[in-house]
């Protein structure tokens, strides 16, 4: 422990050198900027910045690239909350409550809880990384296909909390998402499915495209069709920029729970950043003392529904550094490119990294603490400015949202086909909105469907067709038992006359 | 009308500019690389390293990259063939993965719609087991395979990849029906290495450079490499040295645009050859464990034809194509 | 006769989708090797799921209508002209972006969409639209080296 402490202090000595502080700052600013812009994710940005490794020393460059990686996780929430345009799959859950809050004049608190939650989760995440990285890495390796599949079953069941007022229509949305998720190349056998011989469909439909189509385009079209033009709406009435005492009280536990969910899932090798945000949202939805505030209940937006998923997202980003640094295993596209950056310096992340390049790694870890603080300082003053954006008159506001949505969708792979597809999905979004089909389950189905199919088939291949594998392995079995509890405990309680708050 | 005119004007201007620049001594003007994969992967690294070396070698004025990932690079290939017809400065990165994707999915646009320029290098795979595995050599694996093919779970990249084909070839060589192998595909090298380290699969295979660190740190045991002779400086025996008559590598190279003249094709090939002598390129080869294997002109075209047939046969053997 | 024809149409759309997925699934190979479940397994599950949902929705539509829904079938009050402007903006941008470049495309979208939402000052909107899309264009092309369609050169 003392040894770790000394090494970390050494790391801080590296990180607070003025040049390195500057690199961290540049990385944070750039990361926040690209997080705000939909369509260019951190993976692309880090890839484009890779050539810098030819000119800058390793500490500086890696500190900057990690700043981009972290900053993007911060900035992703901004467009979700303000424009209902999630730029990354991991900020989709944030859009649900965050945008509802913004529409009721509470963009400020939503942005603030996202920024502070990100800071707290990021810092705790880095702390856990500092102290327990090797232990966490060993645990993460226990996750194979069977464990992942069981985890996804749990995610599927808890997702019922985003299904909205009508169970049938919620499930209808989920089934639509599963159907869209099937389009494209089957990840196991490599056979194209439901592509209709359209080459653009072979890789499947990007979920950011569907999210932007359903959320932003669908809402703009719905708004122009059915909402009065003159009504300024509650959007313009900024009731408060800052979080109230009640907001703090409701955010705290959500931040901590989000962190607890996000960090471990970041460290498992095939997690993806979305699942912890789903689980965190469901948890907050189930535990909240204010279920009526949630957008699925027609409420004004629940702050814990922003605080939890955002914390989970950032803790997840810290967790993903565990297998990256200790095993050299990337758990996301961005992490894979970061490994490329290390390799450009002939440094191989992995089991030998701490021995071969100790000072560098500790400098990097120390810079993560500093970067987190920088991001908070950078983002909090922006909250007011961002929130004021919503006072723009409606025509220009929605036109701007549409421009941003199109830029994001087009920027992903420079295909105008995607823009047409975005429009079609937007029209479907209008119909869904008109008949009160919730849109979030579509995205959830799209993401979970293909992932769980892949893990199911790999797990069964490993067990040679034995379905009981999901109960024979301890971690998988734990998730399955948890799933059964989540499904049946409320039912039994209800039968016994115990009423849960959400059924009131 | 006005818009079309301005586009035409632009083309004219570019043409004039490139003539002017060509006379300044650059063999190629602004080279455009199509990379049929997302940033960060093997295709991307190949393209970007080659582009850098071309600028350093003074054979290209500048380089631009366009990433269009998906379907083994064939989506990028389709756009390349359509958008850059006759462009003497356009190139696309290709390799065994793209040939595999073409054989498997039979897309409308194939490598026949582009002009072969040069093969660059080979990359070899290694077969590994977790350190605590009872399997000590390829012989042990083959014994287990012959006894019960399903009990050997092979972990590697996607189906149809070099990883998968190499496993099929090993099974065939050992007299085991290749369609009976239990192959578990993972996406990306990271997921595969995690599954191997965690003991979720029996044997794993991936590019040597990806596995090297796990072998060096003792977390994995290397059983065999897929190259013809031992990799320089590495003690791992080849498959052939263990009585398995299989040699397979993952090659990469570049193609030019369709409809360019023979002279333009030669200019591209010369530029690539010049770049391959640059230090930044040889450094990239060394750090990635890529083995230089430059081949240009008609010989390269014949080589790709041969690869097509070989990969098709292997895929038929495992029942991936009919 | 029917009280909720549009709702029934939605239910039928789900059933049709289920049929499409079932037809697709029947053409996929079901051989899954050692796993026992192949490419067609999950498509069949999804198809069945869609069919059940379709039946439930149809039942609701022909009985009392979708449960807990306020909007009903009313489409009468919709501002179709506005929606046409917005749609035209998106579709024009999609159709023209590779020909006229990114910035003009985004500006057209901005102007049309603002018009749809009732803006009456198209000239000002042109300026704002260009003002929004220029920095983004520069960020993509000059900083990130992403190839966006351009009208003249690196700057436009």
């Amino acid at each position: 422990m003392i040894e770790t402490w000394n090494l970390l202090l050494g790391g801080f000595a590296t990180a607070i050198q003025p040049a390195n502080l500057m690199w961290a700052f540049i990385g944070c600013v750039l990361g926040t900027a690209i997080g705000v812009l939909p369509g260019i994710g951190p993976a692309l940005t880090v890839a484009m910045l890779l050539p810098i490794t030819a000119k800058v020393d390793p500490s500086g460059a890696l500190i900057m690239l990690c700043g981009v990686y972290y900053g993007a996780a911060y900035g992703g929430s901004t467009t979700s909350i303000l424009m209902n345009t999630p730029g990354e799959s991991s900020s989709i859950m944030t859009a649900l409550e965050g945008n509802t809050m913004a529409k009721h004049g509470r963009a400020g608190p939503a942005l603030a809880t996202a920024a502070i939650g990100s800071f707290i989760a990021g810092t705790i995440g880095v702390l856990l990384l500092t102290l327990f990285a090797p232990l966490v890495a060993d645990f993460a390796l226990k996750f194979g296909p069977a464990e992942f599949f069981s985890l996804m079953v749990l995610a599927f069941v808890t997702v019922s909390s985003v299904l909205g007022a009508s169970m049938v229509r919620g499930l209808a949305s989920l089934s639509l998402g599963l159907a869209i998720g099937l389009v494209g190349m089957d990840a196991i056998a490599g056979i194209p499915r439901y592509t209709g011989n359209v080459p653009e469909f072979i890789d499947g439909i990007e979920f950011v495209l569907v999210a932007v189509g359903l959320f932003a385009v669908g809402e703009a079209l719905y708004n122009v069709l059915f909402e009065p033009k003159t009504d300024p709406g509650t959007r313009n009435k900024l009731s408060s920029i800052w979080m109230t005492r009640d907001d703090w009280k409701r955010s705290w536990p959500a931040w901590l729970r989000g962190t607890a969910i996000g960090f471990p899932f970041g460290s498992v090798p095939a997690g993806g950043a979305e699942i912890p945000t789903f689980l965190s949202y469901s948890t907050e939805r189930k535990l909240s003392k204010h279920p009526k505030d949630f957008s699925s209940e027609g409420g004004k937006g629940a702050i814990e529904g922003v605080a939890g998923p955002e914390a989970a997202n950032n803790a997840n980003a810290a967790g993903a550094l565990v297998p990256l640094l200790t095993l050299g295993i990337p758990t996301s596209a961005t992490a894979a490119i970061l490994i490329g950056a290390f390799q450009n310096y002939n440094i191989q992340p992995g089991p030998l990294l701490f021995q071969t390049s100790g000072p560098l790694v500790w400098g990097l870890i120390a810079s993560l603490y500093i970067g987190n603080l920088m991001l908070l300082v950078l983002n909090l003053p922006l909250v007011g400015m961002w929130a004021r954006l919503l006072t723009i008159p409606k025509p220009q506001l929605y036109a701007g949202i549409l421009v941003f949505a199109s830029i994001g969708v087009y920027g992903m792979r420079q295909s105008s086909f995607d823009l047409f597809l975005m429009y079609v999905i937007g029209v479907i979004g209008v119909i869904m909105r008109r008949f009160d089909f919730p849109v979030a389950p579509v995205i959830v189905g799209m993401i979970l469907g293909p992932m769980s199919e892949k893990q199911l088939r790999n797990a069964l291949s490993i067990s040679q067709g034995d379905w009981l594998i999901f109960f024979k392995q301890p971690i998988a079995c734990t998730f399955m038992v948890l799933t059964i509890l989540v499904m049946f405990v409320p039912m039994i309680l209800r039968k016994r006359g115990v009423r849960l708050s959400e059924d009131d | 009308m006005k818009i079309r005119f301005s586009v035409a004007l632009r083309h004219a201007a570019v043409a004039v500019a490139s003539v002017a620049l060509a006379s300044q001594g650059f063999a190629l003007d602004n080279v455009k690389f199509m990379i049929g994969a997302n940033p960060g992967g093997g295709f991307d690294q190949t393209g970007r390293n080659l582009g850098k070396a071309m600028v350093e070698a003074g054979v290209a004025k500048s380089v631009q990259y366009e990433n269009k990932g998906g379907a083994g690079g064939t989506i990028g290939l389709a756009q390349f063939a359509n958008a850059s017809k006759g462009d003497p400065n356009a190139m696309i990165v290709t390799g065994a993965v793209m040939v595999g994707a073409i054989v498997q999915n039979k897309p409308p646009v194939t490598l026949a719609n582009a002009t072969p320029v040069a093969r660059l290098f080979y990359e070899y795979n290694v077969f590994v087991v977790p350190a605590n595995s009872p399997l000590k050599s390829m012989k042990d694996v083959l014994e287990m395979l012959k006894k019960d093919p399903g009990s050997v779970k092979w972990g590697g990249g996607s189906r149809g990849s070099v990883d998968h084909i190499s496993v099929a070839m090993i099974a065939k060589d050992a007299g085991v029906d290749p369609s009976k192998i239990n192959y578990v595909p993972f996406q990306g090298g990271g997921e595969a290495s995690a599954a191997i380290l965690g003991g979720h699969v029996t044997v794993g295979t991936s590019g040597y450079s990806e596995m090297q660190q796990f072998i060096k740190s003792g977390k994995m045991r290397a059983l065999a490499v897929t190259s013809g002779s031992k990799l320089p400086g590495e003690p791992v025996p080849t498959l052939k040295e263990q009585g398995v008559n299989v040699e397979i590598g993952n090659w990469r190279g570049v193609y030019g645009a369709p409809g360019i003249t023979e002279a333009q094709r030669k200019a591209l090939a010369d530029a690539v050859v010049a770049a391959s002598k640059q230090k930044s390129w040889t450094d990239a080869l060394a750090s990635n464990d890529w083995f230089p294997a430059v081949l240009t002109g008609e010989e390269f075209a014949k080589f790709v034809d041969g690869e097509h047939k070989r990969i098709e046969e292997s895929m038929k053997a495992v029942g991936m194509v009919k | 006769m029917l009280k909720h024809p549009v709702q029934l149409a939605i239910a039928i759309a789900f059933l049709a989708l289920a049929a499409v997925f079932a037809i697709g699934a029947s053409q996929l190979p079901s051989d899954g090797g050692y796993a026992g479940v192949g490419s067609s397994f999950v498509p069949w599950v999804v198809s069945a799921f869609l069919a059940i949902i379709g039946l439930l929705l149809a039942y609701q539509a022909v009985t009392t209508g979708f449960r807990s829904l306020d909007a009903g079938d009313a489409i009468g009050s919709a501002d179709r002209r506005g929606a046409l402007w917005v749609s035209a903006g998106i579709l024009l941008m999609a159709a023209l972006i590779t020909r006229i470049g990114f910035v003009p495309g985004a500006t057209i979208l901005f102007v049309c969409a603002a018009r749809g939402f009732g803006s009456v000052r198209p000239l000002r909107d042109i300026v704002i639209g260009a003002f929004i899309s220029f920095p983004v264009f520069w960020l993509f092309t000059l900083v990130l080296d992403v190839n966006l369609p351009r009208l003249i050169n690196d700057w436009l």
Side-chain angles (χ1 to χ4, degrees), chain A residues 30 33-34 37-40 44-45 48-49 165-169 171-176 178-180 182-183 186 189-194 217 219-226 229 393-400 402-404 406-408 410-412 414 416-417 419-420 422-423 427 431 433-437 449 453 456-458 460-461 463-467, chain C residues 6-7 10 14 17 20-25 28-29 32 34-44 46 49-50 53 56-57 60 66-69 71-75 77-80 82-83 86-88 90-91 93-95 97-98 102 106-107 109-111 113-119 121 124-125 128-129 132-133 136 139-140 143-149:
Chain A
L30 209 58
I34 59 129
L37 275 178
I40 24 173
L44 179 71
T45 315
M48 295 308 163
L49 292 173
S166 152
M167 192 63 141
V168 173
R169 291 202 296 284
L171 289 174
S173 295
L174 188 67
S175 70
L176 201 61
L178 290 172
I180 297 173
L182 282 178
V183 174
D186 162 2
I191 297 167
R193 298 189 293 197
Y194 305 105
V217 180
E219 183 180 311
L221 282 171
Y222 183 84
N223 210 292
V224 74
L225 273 168
F226 301 111
K229 297 283 172 302
K394 203 164 160 185
Q396 283 75 23
L397 179 68
Y398 273 104
L402 284 172
V403 165
F404 267 87
S406 314
I407 288 170
Y410 188 79
M412 281 189 300
Q414 289 108 58
S416 40
F417 175 87
L419 287 176
F420 286 112
M422 174 190 82
Y423 177 73
V427 172
I431 300 171
R433 236 163 263 260
R434 194 61 184 158
F435 293 94
D436 205 14
F437 286 84
E453 178 187 12
L456 170 71
R457 287 165 67 185
N458 271 353
L460 287 175
S461 194
S463 75
Q464 300 189 49
D466 179 7
W467 285 78
Chain C
V6 183
Q7 293 186 1
I10 292 174
F14 268 91
L17 201 60
V20 169
F21 271 78
I23 293 167
L28 288 168
Y34 287 96
V37 297
S39 282
S40 66
F41 175 74
V42 173
W44 278 118
V46 172
F49 190 17
L50 286 166
I53 294 293
L56 285 171
L57 287 175
Q60 291 193 353
F66 290 174
R67 304 292 183 266
S68 50
L69 179 73
D73 274 3
I75 305 179
S77 62
D79 174 8
R80 289 174 203 205
V86 175
S87 305
I90 301 174
L91 296 174
M93 163 148 178
I97 187 163
T98 49
F102 177 82
T107 309
L109 167 60
F110 189 87
V111 174
R115 176 75 186 75
F117 275 95
S119 167
R121 296 177 59 185
R124 191 187 61 176
D125 290 337
I128 303 175
I132 296 181
S133 34
V136 176
L139 180 73
F140 270 86
V143 182
L144 295 174
D145 239 348
V146 176
N147 220 354
L148 288 181

Side-chain angles (χ1 to χ4, degrees), chain A residues 77-418:
Chain A
S77 59
T78 309
T79 33
S80 289
I81 291 170
L82 297 176
M83 302 189 174
N84 210 5
T85 309
E88 269 87 26
S89 53
S90 50
S91 43
I92 286 166
M93 288 295 126
T94 310
L96 282 185
E97 298 307 317
N99 189 250
T100 313
M101 282 177 72
K103 278 185 189 149
H104 290 87
R106 295 193 3 98
L111 288 165
T113 197
I116 301 170
S118 294
F119 169 73
I120 289 175
T123 306
I124 298 178
V126 179
L127 195 68
L128 293 173
L129 170 71
T130 315
L131 295 175
F132 305 115
L135 275 177
V136 175
D138 279 345
F139 172 75
L141 283 180
K142 296 209 164 69
F143 274 70
E147 285 74 18
F148 283 122
F149 180 70
S150 311
L151 171 63
M152 281 163 202
V153 171
L154 177 64
F156 260 121
V157 170
T158 51
V159 119
S160 59
S161 60
V162 295
L163 290 183
S166 152
M167 192 63 141
V168 173
R169 291 202 296 284
L171 289 174
S173 295
L174 188 67
S175 70
L176 201 61
L178 290 172
I180 297 173
L182 282 178
V183 174
M185 190 101 81
D186 162 2
I188 299 297
I191 297 167
R193 298 189 293 197
Y194 305 105
T195 55
N197 286 327
V198 179
E200 277 88 351
F201 280 152
I202 287 185
D203 275 315
I205 301 171
E206 191 68 45
F207 34 68
V208 170
L209 190 157
V210 176
V212 167
L214 284 179
F215 285 57
V217 180
E219 183 180 311
L221 282 171
Y222 183 84
N223 210 292
V224 74
L225 273 168
F226 301 111
E227 310 266 325
K229 297 283 172 302
T230 47
D231 176 22
T234 43
R235 203 186 257 283
N236 293 353
K237 280 184 244 133
L238 282 175
S239 57
S240 72
I241 288 285
W242 197 235
M243 289 165 67
T244 62
R245 178 186 276 275
D246 187 47
D247 289 337
W248 280 97
K249 221 177 84 194
R250 287 167 65 176
S251 291
W252 260 111
W255 291 331
L256 296 181
R257 280 191 293 262
T259 309
I261 293 170
F263 185 80
F265 288 120
S267 65
V268 296
E274 308 88 13
I275 295 177
T277 62
F278 295 167
L279 288 175
S280 165
Y281 182 85
S282 310
T283 310
E284 295 311 323
R285 176 79 181 74
K286 290 253 183 327
L287 294 178
S288 176
K289 292 196 180 70
H290 310 271
K292 291 276 177 245
D293 282 356
F294 277 83
S295 55
S296 54
E297 298 289 316
K300 292 181 174 178
I303 195 163
E304 50 269 55
V306 180
E310 270 306 305
N313 182 18
N314 270 60
N316 183 78
L321 292 174
V322 171
L324 178 85
L325 295 176
T326 57
L327 300 170
I329 290 176
T331 58
S332 68
T334 318
I337 299 166
L338 279 177
I339 287 190
F342 278 97
Q343 285 167 339
N344 279 3
Y345 292 112
N346 290 321
I347 301 167
Q348 180 65 50
L352 303 174
L353 180 69
F354 282 83
Q355 282 119 0
T356 55
S357 332
L360 173 95
V361 182
W362 284 107
L364 186 70
I365 291 176
S367 81
L368 292 175
Y369 287 99
I370 297 173
N372 259 312
L373 193 64
M374 263 182 196
L375 281 165
L376 185 71
V377 174
L378 197 71
N379 277 282
L380 274 187
L382 287 178
V383 164
M385 190 196 90
W386 288 128
R388 223 157 273 132
L389 269 186
L390 293 181
T391 54
I392 294 170
K394 203 164 160 185
Q396 283 75 23
L397 179 68
Y398 273 104
I401 289 177
L402 284 172
V403 165
F404 267 87
S406 314
I407 288 170
V409 165
Y410 188 79
M412 281 189 300
R413 55 176 191 183
Q414 289 108 58
S415 150
S416 40
F417 175 87
D418 287 352

Side-chain angles (χ1 to χ4, degrees), chain B residues 33-44:
Chain B
F33 268 105
M34 167 60 82
I35 295 166
N38 292 331
F43 272 6
D44 190 58

Side-chain angles (χ1 to χ4, degrees), chain A residues 47 141-144 187-190 199 202-203 269 327 329-330 337 346 348-352 413-414 454 458 461-462 464, chain B residues 39-40 48 66 68-71 75 104-105 150-151 153 159 182 184-185 187 190-191 194 197-198 200 213-214 217 219 287:
Chain A
L141 283 180
K142 296 209 164 69
F143 274 70
I188 299 297
I202 287 185
D203 275 315
L327 300 170
I329 290 176
I337 299 166
N346 290 321
Q348 180 65 50
L352 303 174
R413 55 176 191 183
Q414 289 108 58
K454 191 180 85 182
N458 271 353
S461 194
I462 288 170
Q464 300 189 49
Chain B
R48 283 174 200 269
E66 184 167 358
K68 190 139 205 152
I75 292 182
Q104 196 182 5
N105 303 325
S151 68
K153 293 128 199 173
R159 281 178 73 98
N182 192 353
V184 186
Q187 274 165 349
E191 221 179 303
L197 286 173
H200 301 285
Q213 47 152 337
F214 300 113
S217 64
K219 291 198 180 257
S287 72

Side-chain angles (χ1 to χ4, degrees), chain B residues 7 31 37 72 91 133 141 161 172 188 192 196 204 231 234 244:
Chain B
V7 169
V31 174
M91 279 195 274
S133 163
V141 177
S161 63
K172 203 171 158 196
I196 301 162
L231 300 179
E234 308 289 347
V244 184

